[in-house]
Structures are given as C-alpha cells and as structure tokens.
C-alpha cells in the first residue's frame, strides 16, 4: 500500500468544527497540569475523525472543552479556539456556549447507564431539551420520542419510551443515548468512547448504527476512542494523542499501514492479531509499549514519548520537543524521526477488524 | 404494590408486638427491682397487706408476679393486649383515662413537631443547597462549621441556655415594652402556656429544628454534590439545558432520594428531642407526659404512650419506604 493522495485529503470541503491550539490546564494538589497542549483538529460535514489515545492523553478533556462542559475550576482553558462555522464558542459566555452546542453539536457519552438520569423515563429525557427550548406539547414530544427511538432501531419504541434507563440492555441504552444526541438535529456529533462499556458483538452494532446515521445525515462525527479496530472500520482521518498533544494526524489508512510516529507504530503493534505478521514468530508474545504513560505533572523533557520510544536518540531528550509538522502530503507528525519511521516496511492492512467479521481461528 | 404494602404492614405489626413485649419486660423488671409504686402512695405510713393489695389493684399491679424478680408476668401482659384490643388503654395512677390524656397532650406535640419539621426542612434544604452550590468557598465552609458547632451542642444545653439566660430578660423587656399579651412577650415566655399553644411553642420548636437540621444540612450538601458532578448532569448540560433547569430537574430532584430516607431517622430523633424539650419547657405534650409518667412509675401511661409512639414511628417508616420507591423508579416492589 502506498500513500493515496486522494484518500489523504477528504477535508477539501469547508470544516464545520475546528479546534485550534487548544490548551487546557487543571489545578491539582501537585501543581498545574496541562491536560491538553496545543491540540488542533477539524472535521467537515460527512466526515469521521477519530481521536485516539491512551487514558489520560487528553482526548476526553478536549471534547468536554469543545462542549463547554469542563468544570472550571479546577479546569482552565488557557488559550485556543473552538469554531463552529466560524463562531468561536470559547469566546461566548458559558451558558450561551452550551445553548449553542445544544443546537449544533451533540455528544454521546461512554457509559449510558451513568449518563442517563435514572429517575426519568427515556421518553422524557429524549425530548427534554426540545420541550425546554420550544415548549413542544407533551403529545408532540411523545411522538417525537418514539420517532427518535425508531430511528436508532429500538424495537417496540412506542412502549419503550415509557421505560426507565435501567430497564434497557447495555446496547439498547447506548442507542437511546445516540437518539438523545440526535434529538435537536445536530450537525456535529462527538462520540466519547461510545462502545467501550459494551460487549464486543454489541459494539459492532452500535458502530454500524453510528456510521449509518452519520452517512444518512451527512453529519460530522468525532469519534473519541482507544479502540484501533473501531477506528480502522469507520474513521476517515485519525488524530493520535499522547500526553495532551496530537502526535500524528493522517488519513486512517495511511496511519495504519505506514505510521509516521513511533507511538502510532507501537500502538498498532500492540493490537492482538489472529495471524502473525510475515517474518514474525507465530508464538511471539503480544508486543506492548514498555513503561507507562507519563505523569502529566512531571513530563520528561523534549518529546514526552522518548522514554518509551524504540527509536529515541539523544536529540529527542532536548527541549523543545518536536512540533507537529507536515511529513508527507496530508500527514502531520510530531517526531524528529518521522521520515525514518515512514521508511519502515509498511504494516499489512491492520488486523483490527470490526467485531462482526471476527471468525474463529 | 398492594402485596408490598401488606407485607410492610405485617412487618410493622410484628415490630409493634416486639416493642410491646420489650416494654412490658422492662417495666416489669423495673417494678420488681424498685418495689411496687403502690408503696409510694402511702408515703411514710406502713400499709397493711390488704391496703397495699387494694392500691396495687387500682394501679393495675395486683398480680403477685410483680413481686417475683425474674417473673415475666405473662398473664398481665396478655390481659393488657386484650384490653388494648377492645380500645381500653387503662388509666393513670389518678384514675384518668390514658386516651383522654393523649387527646389533650397530642395536639401540643403535633404543634411542636410542625414547627420542628418546617424549620428542619427549610433550614436544611436551603443551607445544604447553598453549601453545595458554593462548595469550597467561604459560604460552604461557614455553613459546615456552623452545622458542626450546632451538632456538638446538645439540645438540652441549648434549651437550658435559652430558658435561663435568654427568656427571662427578653420576656421581661417585651412585656414592659409591648404588654403581657403581646406576641413578643409570648414568644419568649420561659414556659409553655396552653392558652397560647402556637406562640409559646415556636422558639423551642425552632431551636429543636435547628439542632436536627445540622446533620441534615450536611446530608443535603453531600447528596447534591454527588449529583453536581454526576455524569447524567453533564449529559443534561450537553443538551444545552439552562443551569436552572439542570439544577432543579437533575440535581435537586435526584438528591431528594437520600434526603427522603433521612426523614425517617430525623423523625425518630425529633421524638427524642421532643421529650427533652417538652420536659424543659413544661409543654403538656406526649414527651412531657411520658417524662413525668416514667418519673412516677405510672406503668399504664408509659406503656400506652410508648406503644402509640411506636405505632406512629412504624407508620412513618412505611410511608418513607413508599415515598422512596415513588421517587426512585429503580426500586421495585416484590
């Protein structure tokens, strides 16, 4: 597989939502921690952007910042902008920011059981914002709630709107969560680990549903996940985050076949595969990334990844660390050695397969 | 639902029966250990056996078992149960019907309870919500410190200080300024007056309510704080709902569940507080009556009133459980 320049640049259309140079800090008892450091990404209508990273890499914090949902204090947005069709949401008063997001940018949360209010019926929560905003009648709201549940293919929707979240199975609850996000017809959907809390077969169903709805409505989808299999199957572009920074941004196929950052490469090696790579021992143990994610209070000097990096050289330990730069058409990476990394033999199309296609070995 | 209520009622009856058994055993043991209260009737004089027996009969303590330490006196207990079943709750040592005493005393206690409950709820909810809203700031610290201070200060000490330090100068001043029958003068009267049952019960009630609300404030605060950062609240905010809507529908509503459960034990606490308050402030109420009945070894009154209080408590507990289930759809009967 070689670089595919057309697949590399689908964002030719006007971006809908743009995050630029976002910096979020948290005041903790150990001092100020920079959870997101200079993050930029953008997403256009009909496009899926995956934001990938380990826990603590800042991927969720950045999406909460986009939605105006960070608790401030302890969080503080130091600088940066979040523009929706040119309007900088961060410059709006918080209440207005949230209202604006309610209309245009919706969010699907990870654990639907915790993210839905246990004391209200699903029907009430589906249309709560609609009723609060437009004063829709109860009857009309009920009709709309049924419509939304139908849309996400919850069987027997007319009865189920009267049920409470705990009466749904995990997968159905996540469908409710998605339906709720769609209630006000958003143009951008941010899904924060939407399938992490679900079992594997249900994960595939939910991802398929999300992808279908996105294609149908030409929504922009920002998928925050640590599951590379999910990324491979649905995303167009990927942003890999490490210790609060974007370390690689590329079309998904490129990033997965010829990663430009050693961290991306290490992540791909650590995905379990059904078949050994050519030239690899069949019985070899699964590769892991040595060490542990850095403490944000005490980041190593230079490139934050260098202590765990196989390629690191003396230059990696020197401040300032590598900045995100163009390393190939449509591709950015924050690594001094990106060219070397790109010269590595390409990885066969990444095995992470959508769960529905997994067969017994 | 019906089955659940029936089961809870049966449980309640069982609890009640056990309370009565325990009460009977305790009062019996007290009489057996301390000697027959009928002896007190004769003062210094030594009664003949016949005289003593006659007075004992009148007191309902005629059975020989009351003189045998360790005898559980099953016979008198069954007699009492039978009498209760027919609506006969006995008389006090002076021959007054227990039901009649309750009819006079209960309204005063209910007044006290109304004041206590209202204070408790208003102060607890308001200060608890404020502390949660301004968590970590001066208002929060102040409210919490205040509530701990009140908690560390026993109710009876508070009432004693009020009665002996505050009331006398205040009521004297108010009487001289506004007249003896004026509201300020009544409010600060050092003791209860049956002619002005509301005015004279107000300040002690508020004090008792304040004492009870101290722990409640912290409970409300904790319950709401748990919800301020709950994921479902974040979801509600992500839908673009206003902060007021979110607070009302997602924070206060959800935190009402643990708060309602607290009503049960705060009620029990208020009952105990009422005994002390009524005793100190000379309120002729259930607590005051019980107070003097225990002092006088007036068995019929003690047993009758404690049984009644047990009935009320059991009913309150059942209501709280039902309310709890009504507020939280995750709780299902059966």
């Amino acid at each position: 597989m070689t670089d595919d320049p057309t697949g590399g640049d689908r964002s030719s259309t006007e971006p809908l939502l743009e995050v630029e140079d976002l910096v979020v800090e948290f005041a903790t008892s150990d001092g100020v921690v920079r959870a997101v450091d200079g993050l930029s990404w953008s997403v256009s209508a009909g496009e899926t952007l995956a934001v990938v990273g380990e826990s603590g890499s800042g991927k969720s914090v950045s999406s909460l910042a986009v939605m105006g949902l960070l608790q401030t204090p302890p969080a503080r947005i130091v600088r940066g902008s979040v523009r929706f069709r040119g309007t900088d949401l961060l410059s709006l008063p918080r209440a207005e920011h949230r209202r604006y997001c309610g209309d245009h940018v919706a969010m699907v949360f990870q654990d639907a059981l915790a993210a839905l209010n246990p004391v209200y019926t699903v029907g009430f929560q589906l249309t709560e914002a609609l009723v609060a905003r437009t004063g829709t009648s109860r009857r009309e709201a009920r009709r709309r709630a049924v419509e939304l549940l139908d849309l996400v293919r919850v069987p027997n929707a007319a009865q189920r709107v009267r049920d409470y979240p705990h009466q749904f199975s995990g997968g159905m609850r996540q469908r409710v969560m998605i339906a709720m996000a769609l209630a006000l017809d958003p143009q951008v959907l941010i899904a924060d680990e939407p399938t992490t809390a679900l079992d594997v077969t249900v994960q595939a169903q939910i991802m398929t549903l999300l992808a279908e709805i996105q294609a149908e409505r030409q929504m922009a989808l920002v998928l925050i996940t640590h599951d590379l299999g999910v990324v491979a199957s649905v995303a167009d572009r990927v942003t890999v985050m490490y210790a609060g920074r974007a370390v690689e941004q590329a079309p998904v196929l490129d990033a997965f076949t010829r990663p430009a950052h050693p961290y991306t490469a290490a992540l791909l090696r650590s995905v379990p595969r059904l078949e050994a790579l050519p030239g690899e021992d069949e019985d070899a143990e699964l590769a892991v990334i040595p060490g542990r994610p850095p403490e944000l209070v005490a980041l190593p000097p230079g490139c934050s990844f260098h202590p765990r990096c196989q390629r690191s050289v003396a230059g990696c330990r020197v401040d300032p660390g590598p900045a995100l730069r163009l390393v190939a058409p449509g591709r950015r990476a924050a690594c001094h050695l990106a060219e070397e990394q790109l010269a590595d033999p390409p990885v066969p199309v990444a095995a992470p397969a959508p769960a529905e296609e997994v067969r017994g070995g | 639902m019906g089955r659940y209520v029936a089961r809870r009622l049966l449980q309640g009856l069982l609890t009640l029966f056990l309370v009565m058994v325990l009460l009977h055993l305790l009062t019996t043991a007290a009489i057996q250990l301390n000697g027959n209260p009928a002896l007190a009737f004769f003062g210094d004089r030594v009664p003949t056996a016949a005289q003593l027996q006659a007075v004992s009969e009148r007191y309902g303590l005629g059975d020989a078992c009351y003189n045998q330490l360790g005898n559980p006196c099953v016979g008198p207990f069954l007699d009492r149960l039978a009498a209760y079943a027919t609506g006969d709750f006995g008389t006090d040592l002076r021959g007054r019907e227990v039901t009649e005493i309750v009819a006079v005393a209960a309204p005063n206690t209910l007044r006290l309870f109304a004041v206590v409950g209202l204070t408790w709820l208003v102060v607890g909810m308001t200060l608890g919500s404020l502390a949660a809203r301004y968590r970590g700031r001066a208002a929060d610290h102040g409210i919490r410190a205040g509530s701990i201070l009140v908690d560390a200060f026993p109710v009876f000490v508070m009432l004693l200080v009020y009665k002996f330090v505050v009331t006398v100068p205040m009521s004297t001043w108010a009487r001289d300024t506004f007249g003896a029958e004026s509201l300020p003068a009544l409010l600060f009267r050092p003791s209860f007056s049956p002619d002005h049952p509301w005015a004279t019960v107000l300040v002690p009630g508020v004090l008792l309510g304040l004492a009870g609300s101290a722990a409640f404030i912290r409970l409300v605060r904790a319950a709401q704080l748990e919800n301020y950062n709950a994921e479902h609240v974040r979801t509600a905010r992500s839908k673009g709902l206003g902060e007021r809507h979110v607070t009302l529908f997602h924070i206060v509503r959800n935190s009402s569940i643990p708060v309602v459960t607290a009503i049960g034990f705060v009620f029990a606490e208020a009952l105990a507080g009422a005994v002390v308050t009524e005793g100190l402030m000379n309120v002729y109420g259930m607590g005051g009556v019980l107070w003097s009945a225990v002092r006088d070894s007036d068995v019929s009154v003690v047993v009758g009133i404690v049984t009644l209080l047990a009935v009320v408590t059991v009913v309150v507990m059942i209501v709280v459980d039902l309310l709890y289930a009504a507020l939280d759809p995750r709780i299902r009967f059966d």
Side-chain angles (χ1 to χ4, degrees):
Chain A
M1 284 260 172
T2 50
D3 272 338
D4 173 6
T6 52
D9 199 12
R10 281 195 215 175
S11 55
S12 47
T13 48
E14 180 87 344
L16 262 182
L17 185 65
E18 277 177 289
V19 172
E20 205 175 305
D21 194 25
L22 183 68
V23 177
V24 182
E25 287 180 345
F26 280 85
T28 72
S29 48
D30 297 329
V32 174
V33 163
R34 194 163 270 214
V36 178
D37 192 0
L39 178 69
S40 304
W41 49 252
S42 69
V43 65
S44 322
E47 188 189 36
T48 300
L49 169 74
V51 179
V52 181
E54 292 166 277
S55 13
S57 62
K59 53 194 199 303
S60 289
V61 170
S62 56
S63 61
L64 291 177
V66 169
M67 298 292 294
L69 295 175
L70 281 178
Q71 210 186 316
T72 51
R76 188 169 79 91
I77 295 174
V78 180
R79 61 166 195 267
S81 65
V82 174
R83 284 192 303 276
F84 178 83
R85 288 187 186 283
T87 310
D88 185 5
L89 302 181
L90 297 184
S91 66
L92 298 175
R94 169 156 280 208
E96 220 170 299
H97 181 175
R98 285 188 186 154
R99 262 189 77 87
Y100 203 89
C101 281
D103 286 334
H104 304 292
V105 185
M107 189 151 176
V108 173
F109 293 94
Q110 175 178 348
D111 179 2
L113 185 59
L116 293 169
N117 192 326
V119 307
Y120 294 112
T121 62
V122 154
F124 175 88
Q125 296 185 64
L126 280 169
T127 52
E128 186 183 10
L130 194 73
V131 173
R133 295 288 185 83
T134 58
T136 312
S137 71
R138 264 178 76 103
R139 201 182 166 148
E140 173 61 21
R142 174 59 55 91
R143 198 190 56 73
R144 174 76 178 139
V146 174
E147 204 176 275
L148 284 165
L149 278 196
D150 267 333
L151 181 74
V152 294
R153 278 179 244 122
V154 171
N156 209 2
Q159 260 78 59
R160 301 234 68 184
V161 289
R162 278 191 283 270
D163 283 347
Y164 291 91
H166 71 275
Q167 292 166 300
F168 286 74
S169 68
M172 285 298 149
R173 213 152 37 217
Q174 194 55 269
R175 284 169 194 264
V176 169
M177 188 85 233
I178 293 170
M180 202 165 85
L182 297 175
L184 290 177
D185 287 317
Q187 287 159 285
V188 181
L189 190 64
I190 301 179
D192 186 359
E193 309 251 7
T195 60
T196 306
L198 305 174
D199 64 52
V200 181
T201 46
V202 181
Q203 282 186 4
Q205 292 167 10
I206 294 292
M207 280 321 303
T208 312
L209 177 74
L210 263 179
E212 277 177 26
I213 289 172
Q214 186 233 0
E216 210 171 281
R217 305 185 157 218
Q218 283 299 297
M219 278 188 312
L221 177 63
V222 179
L223 186 65
I224 293 154
T225 182
H226 60 253
D227 186 339
L228 295 176
V230 166
V231 176
S233 54
V234 302
D236 298 313
R237 285 188 302 125
V238 59
T239 290
V240 180
M241 289 188 72
Y242 188 79
R245 291 164 178 268
V247 293
E248 175 159 7
Q249 295 185 313
V252 80
L253 200 59
D254 293 351
F256 275 32
T257 50
R258 294 184 60 191
H261 195 285
Y263 177 60
T264 317
L267 274 184
L268 289 169
R269 275 198 300 277
S270 64
V271 174
R273 289 157 197 273
L274 292 177
E275 288 153 40
L277 297 180
E280 200 178 71
D281 183 2
E282 285 271 349
D283 301 322
E285 281 185 27
L286 183 65
V288 293
I289 307 178
R292 50 172 69 197
E295 297 286 340
L296 290 174
V297 274
L299 282 180
C303 171
S304 328
F305 186 59
H306 86 253
R308 307 170 73 190
C309 184
Q310 291 181 341
R311 286 188 183 271
S312 77
V313 294
C316 296
R317 286 169 215 126
V318 196
D319 276 328
L324 203 62
R325 62 192 168 93
L326 204 64
V327 294
R331 308 192 53 172
R332 289 165 183 281
C335 180
H336 299 312
L337 307 163
E339 283 75 13
E340 264 177 60
Q341 179 69 47
L342 275 170
D344 265 10
V347 186
V349 175
E356 54 198 346
E357 286 165 34
V358 171
R359 282 156 285 137
Chain B
M1 176 86 182
R3 267 181 59 195
Y4 176 81
V5 176
R7 208 172 61 210
R8 284 310 311 267
L9 281 175
L10 272 177
Q11 276 175 6
L13 280 178
L14 183 70
T15 312
L16 218 55
F17 178 75
L18 290 176
V19 166
M20 289 181 71
V21 169
L22 195 65
L23 198 58
H24 172 76
L25 292 178
L26 285 173
T27 47
T28 304
I31 292 165
Q32 287 163 349
L33 286 167
N34 297 338
N36 197 327
L39 282 171
F41 178 83
F42 297 97
D44 290 342
R45 288 171 296 135
V46 178
T48 64
Q51 281 173 325
L52 185 62
Q53 184 59 30
V55 175
S56 295
E57 291 284 356
R58 242 186 78 196
Y59 285 7
L61 303 171
D63 201 290
C65 73
Y66 285 112
N67 297 322
Q68 300 153 5
L69 185 60
N71 189 326
C73 290
V74 179
F77 179 63
L78 293 178
D79 290 344
R80 183 184 298 133
L81 281 187
Y84 277 17
T86 62
D88 173 14
F89 290 87
T91 61
D92 72 353
L93 296 183
R94 289 175 204 83
R96 222 174 134 208
E97 291 279 342
V98 172
T99 44
E100 195 184 307
I101 298 173
V102 168
V104 180
N108 290 335
T109 300
L110 286 178
R111 279 187 201 100
L112 184 67
F113 260 53
V115 176
V116 169
L118 211 64
T119 311
W120 173 75
L121 209 65
V122 170
V123 172
M125 285 302 283
T126 313
L127 293 185
S129 303
L130 278 176
R133 178 85 188 74
Y134 298 105
R135 62 196 166 285
R137 300 206 220 146
D140 179 24
H141 290 304
I143 289 168
R144 275 191 294 163
S147 86
I148 289 168
L149 198 71
V150 170
D151 240 5
F153 206 53
V155 180
F156 71 92
V157 177
M158 199 191 302
L159 285 169
L160 277 176
V161 169
Y162 169 70
K163 183 171 175 167
F164 293 111
V165 179
V166 180
T167 57
V168 176
M170 280 299 282
S171 60
T172 309
W173 169 79
R175 213 169 36 232
D176 294 346
T177 319
F178 305 106
E181 290 299 300
S182 66
L183 187 65
L186 290 172
L187 279 181
F188 293 106
R189 266 178 72 113
S191 63
F192 177 73
S193 149
D195 299 329
H196 306 281
W198 280 110
T200 47
V201 98
L202 195 63
V203 177
V206 168
L207 286 177
L208 189 57
L210 274 180
S213 69
F216 186 59
I217 288 171
R218 296 197 298 273
L219 185 93
V220 170
R221 177 182 177 273
Q224 292 199 2
L225 268 191
E226 211 169 281
N227 279 299
Y228 263 103
N229 300 325
E231 289 186 35
H232 70 260
V233 171
R234 197 175 62 187
T235 312
R237 290 193 179 119
S238 84
K239 294 197 275 190
L241 296 165
E243 199 56 35
R244 185 178 301 170
H245 180 103
V246 171
T247 306
L248 211 62
F249 282 80
H250 294 273
I251 294 170
V252 174
R253 168 66 178 81
N254 283 63
S255 58
S256 68
I257 298 166
V259 166
V260 163
T261 352
I263 293 177
F265 53 78
V266 171
F267 175 80
E269 200 178 293
L271 262 182
V275 174
V276 177
T277 311
E278 290 177 359
L280 271 172
M281 303 304 294
N282 309 322
V283 178
Y284 190 74
M286 303 290 275
V289 168
L290 188 60
W291 172 284
S292 47
V294 171
R295 209 181 42 210
D296 302 344
S297 298
D298 199 334
V299 177
S300 305
V301 178
V302 171
V303 173
I305 287 184
V306 173
T307 305
L308 183 67
L309 294 181
V311 170
V312 174
T313 308
V314 165
V315 169
V316 168
M317 293 300 176
I318 292 177
V319 169
V320 165
D321 274 4
L322 292 179
L323 212 56
Y324 191 52
L327 283 174
D328 189 346
R330 285 167 297 184
I331 311 281
R332 277 288 152 260
F333 305 116
D334 308 315

